[in-house]
Amino acid sequence: MSKKVDPIVLDLIENALLNARFEMDSVVVRVALSPVIREQHDEFPMICDPAGRMIVGQFGSYIPAIVEEYGSDIHEGDIFVWNDPYACKGSISHNNDWCVMMPIFHEGVHVGFSSIFGHMVDVGGKVPGSMPSDARTIWEEGLRVPPVKIYEKGVLNEGVLKVMLNNTRTPDMNRADLMALVAGCRTAAQRVRETCDRFGRETYLDACGLLLDRTREAMRVLINQYIPEEPVSFTDYVDDDGVGNGPFKMKLSIYRRGDTAVFDWTGTDDQAEGPINFHIHEGLCKLFFGVYMIMAFDPKIMFNEGFYDLFEIVLPEGSLLNPKFPAALSNRLNTHTRFFDCQAGALGQRAPHLSMAAGYGTSPHFIFTGQDSNGKYFQLMELLFGGVPGRPRGDGLDGHAWWPLFSATPIEYIENYYPVIVDSYRPVKDAGGAGLHRGGAGIEKTYRVLEAGSISIHDDREVVPPWGINGGLHGGTSSKWIIRAGSEERERIPSKLDNLKVEPGDRIVFITAGSGGWGDPLERPAEKVLADVQNDLVSRQKAEEDYGVIISETQVLDTSATARLREKMKAERGAPSDFDFGFIPGLHAAE
């Protein structure tokens, strides 16, 4: 390749690819049927170069592992599908994620790949939703499909499709969602061909290489600026594994060797007996570190795989992050999201002004299944959100998703299509950790079921709260409750359970964790604390105890009393702590 591309043409090709990537999203959500994809957007697209390196996308490329398996047996019109984490080196991390990959050809020449994976609401297994909280092996978590061709040279493989749909409780939804992923890949392929037509195939391929090179150089600068040569370490914990074990330690050490950033998970606990293991692909691990560094330190950098060779990953075999087959994986998001908290804690020690606190730290699920009055099977699955942490730029977000493009399922959708009424949906008071920039609050959502059935719940941060940073305080923990029909008494239920029987009129109160605060809460403008009290995000008691702000019962700020109290609290406290874990002393550690 000459790699001589006019800068304006390079920008045009970059934005054409970015637009195609977002068009993939639009096509998928218009075709899909399940609320998890259609409404909540739990799907992740990308466009890659001929070597399988992601040029635009979210999760990073797993394609080289598939190409390695098939070699030269990849042709125009082929479309691949798989969902087995162990058969694709952890490119997807649990059986519910169905991944589709399509090679892209321009005038018979291979110019790249398009791919999307999305969460299917059910893939079989022993419980509805296919994510049993007490699974001990992957055999209990539903159908596993190795990489196979769902289309071969443009012809649908009906046998593969029948096997996949015959092993799910929701075949209609799964078929629509799978074809939505296929449609998204085909859309991207068409846009890439059009770009090749417009600018020339060689110019397009050269531009892909230049976009990778540009990101690599930008990441090299970030590594040298923010990654120290001396290792820094941080430890956080997952509450439990669903079968009575825990907490589970996750330890991350980060250091720089030349231009290479080393991310070492040595010291992380051994794989769990229960299904919280995260079988992560090394390339995917690099992408997670890369996207965090880009978003924290320089969001203008294009997110692609150009920096892969600048990262070295150590994932001890047999650990929580590199489990041995056939370890259960279905609830790995409890571990996955703690992954990001460990990054923030480690990197924040050398660049505290650019780091953030810990968030709600999981991907809470609510599943309700049964048969309605007409004898029709229903299966509601909803992802819930929590507090996104306080950040250098401002307060955290209340009841927001970790993943930027996710959205809450509209209550109207839930109530129209399922026998459920959502009685309330509100932020949790005092769940956002106090700070100069307050942590985001968790949410409290109350479901009232209208038919008999069973519910399953998956969540975390019920025991180990999200920590605060730079003087910020820890956030609130999660909890789950059931109120039986005809009663007002709340009964506590675990954060991980399956098939709890419910009757019409029962209410489930689902409370997610908040997040940690950023910076000294005694420096937060008193007027902002007053606004939080008025908006029912902070209580008057916490305003006084955590922020040193005196507010009357009529919600009037006492400026002089506030100034006196803050001076007294600062004198008694001394310098604020780097971290506030709000848990058993010695359990966490920043080194």
Side-chain angles (χ1 to χ4, degrees), residues 46 52 193 244 250 267 320 328 360 453 508 548:
M46 67 174 178
R193 285 191 289 267
M250 293 179 62
L320 204 60
Y360 66 100
I508 297 87

Side-chain angles (χ1 to χ4, degrees), residues 85 90-95 97 277-280 329-330 332 336:
S91 61
I92 46 96
S93 53
H94 71 161
N95 294 353
D97 287 339
N277 301 291
F278 185 24
H279 182 49
I280 184 171
L329 309 172
S330 57
R332 85 285 184 229
H336 183 179

Side-chain angles (χ1 to χ4, degrees), residues 354-391:
L354 292 173
S355 193
M356 62 182 184
Y360 66 100
T362 181
S363 185
H365 289 68
F366 173 75
I367 300 171
F368 174 42
T369 62
Q371 289 188 326
D372 63 20
S373 55
N374 297 316
K376 183 180 179 182
Y377 178 78
F378 63 84
Q379 182 171 316
L380 167 64
M381 175 182 169
E382 183 178 20
L383 307 177
L384 287 88
F385 309 133
V388 173
R391 305 160 290 166

Side-chain angles (χ1 to χ4, degrees), residues 396-409:
L397 305 176
D398 304 317
H400 202 278
W402 264 117
W403 315 114
L405 299 181
F406 275 24
S407 61
T409 305

